[in-house]
Amino acid sequence: VNLQATLDDIAGEIVPHLGVGKVADYIPALAQVDPHKFGIAVTTVEGESLLAGAADERFSIQSISKVFTLTMAAEFVGQDLWQRVGREPSGSAFNSIVQLEYEHGIPRNPFINAGAVVITDIIASHCPAGGVKGAQGTKTAIVDFLRQRADDAAIDFDLEVARSEKAWGYRNAALANLMKAFGNIVNDVDDVLDIYFHQCAIEMTCRQLSRAMLYFANDGTDPLTGQLVVSAERARRINSIMLTCGHYDASGDFAVRVGLPGKSGVGGGIVAIVPQRLAVAVWSPALNEQGNSHAGTLALEKFAARTGYSIF
Ligand code: GLN
């Protein structure tokens, strides 16, 4: 497979589809982004990186942060994690509140907003081991984890996006408060939301994200540094959750069309992995109705079809 030619072809074919859909406007700072942007990057387990389009432009990773925070929380508490969050697709929107009351404050999975807020709460309880405590220390621990995964110390928060999301975060505040009432948020609700908004507001490029995801393609070990990030078993489980829940109520659609474990965010980014081979990241800000990048999904569908790299 000629990966560079594949990415170049996709970047050309995708042009008529750019701007179809809507940028996330419930976070005002994200509504400013040009909906016609497109970038794609692949990093292979051998360390080769291939780029097309705006692959070096930073964007808001939003819910893509949730695969990394799930990794961190699982390392802190192991199997106990499943006492506080489920691992079933929700069939509802990423920010839905309806199931939470019926299911006693236990979110369906770690990738919908409610589940991700619980994961953030777990991290807030466990880190840092030393140094700065509280919300600031936890935010630093999360961004440091991403800097290590991407091997790039320049990764940081977009504070304007974090502020904007906080100012309009009524729905996430409702989810967090309801879970607190059920006893499923341990730390101060405002602190947990502050950390959650900041993790979502981390800015990265397609190149950095594809590099950062590589451990999921290599049984939990970073293939370029040799560092064990998570056990092979845990990496396999997180990949399964990406496949079944990574695109909210469009997870089935993504599995049918792309057939790879993946995670999307309302900034328009999507990451996916091809086991034993590579990680791919794509970005285009206009979203479909389920809040996933329209052109990004289509680009990954083309990528899987062209390379034959679906896991099925
Ligand atoms: N920060 C966003 C929110 O909480 C993340 C949602 C997403 O990317 N799907 O609404």
Side-chain angles (χ1 to χ4, degrees):
V1 178
N2 184 334
L3 286 171
Q4 185 62 56
T6 304
L7 298 191
D8 290 339
D9 287 351
I10 292 170
E13 290 168 20
I14 209 73
V15 171
H17 304 278
L18 300 182
V20 176
K22 223 164 123 293
V23 295
D25 56 5
Y26 73 101
I27 302 172
L30 291 184
Q32 315 298 320
V33 180
D34 176 1
H36 293 87
K37 295 274 184 182
F38 177 81
I40 187 165
V42 164
T43 305
T44 68
V45 294
E46 289 85 27
E48 204 187 351
S49 65
L50 306 112
L51 318 171
D56 279 322
E57 195 163 326
R58 283 193 296 268
F59 61 90
S60 193
I61 68 170
Q62 293 295 318
S63 286
I64 295 172
S65 64
K66 296 170 184 176
V67 285
F68 300 106
T69 52
L70 176 59
T71 304
M72 293 174 75
E75 289 294 289
F76 286 132
V77 297
Q79 293 285 66
D80 290 349
L81 192 140
W82 306 114
Q83 311 285 322
R84 294 183 56 189
V85 60
R87 48 195 188 199
E88 291 294 341
S90 70
S92 306
F94 64 86
N95 56 5
S96 173
I97 200 167
V98 287
Q99 281 165 343
L100 259 191
E101 170 128 47
Y102 295 127
E103 299 180 359
H104 311 290
I106 308 291
R108 273 292 174 96
N109 67 66
F111 292 156
I112 53 172
N113 286 10
V117 169
V118 169
I119 296 298
T120 300
D121 184 50
I122 291 172
I123 298 175
S125 297
H126 285 85
C127 78
V132 191
K133 292 228 186 298
Q136 194 54 47
T138 309
K139 285 187 260 188
T140 304
I142 294 172
V143 79
D144 276 349
F145 184 79
L146 274 166
R147 288 171 181 156
Q148 284 166 30
R149 298 290 72 75
D151 197 12
D152 193 332
I155 291 167
D156 219 331
F157 305 102
D158 179 335
L159 295 175
E160 180 53 35
V161 169
R163 251 194 308 275
S164 180
E165 185 164 354
K166 195 172 190 171
W168 294 90
Y170 303 114
R171 194 171 256 279
N172 286 319
L175 295 170
N177 279 291
L178 185 58
M179 292 190 291
K180 182 81 177 177
F182 277 111
N184 200 18
I185 294 292
V186 175
N187 296 283
D188 178 74
V189 167
D190 288 338
D191 279 352
V192 174
L193 286 169
D194 182 51
I195 301 160
Y196 172 77
F197 294 141
H198 278 79
Q199 78 181 51
C200 291
I202 291 172
E203 282 191 299
M204 289 171 73
T205 67
C206 288
R207 185 207 294 259
Q208 291 167 335
L209 276 170
S210 65
R211 168 69 185 90
M213 288 293 290
L214 224 42
Y215 67 103
F216 287 116
N218 191 52
D219 300 323
T221 295
D222 184 328
L224 306 187
T225 63
Q227 191 189 342
L228 179 85
V229 183
V230 283
S231 69
E233 185 186 15
R234 186 159 288 157
R236 191 164 62 238
R237 289 177 171 179
I238 297 176
N239 282 336
S240 303
I241 301 169
M242 277 196 263
L243 186 77
T244 52
C245 309
H247 286 71
Y248 321 111
D249 46 339
S251 296
D253 182 67
F254 189 83
V256 168
R257 291 171 60 191
V258 182
L260 296 172
K263 183 74 205 82
S264 71
V266 291
I270 305 177
V271 291
I273 64 113
V274 179
Q276 317 308 330
R277 287 186 196 274
L278 57 83
V280 53
V282 61
W283 171 56
S284 193
L287 308 177
N288 63 22
E289 264 173 24
Q290 289 83 24
N292 303 309
S293 172
H294 171 78
T297 307
L298 193 60
L300 289 176
E301 185 176 8
K302 287 174 182 291
F303 180 79
R306 196 76 60 95
T307 56
Y309 284 168
S310 158
I311 61 171
F312 298 106

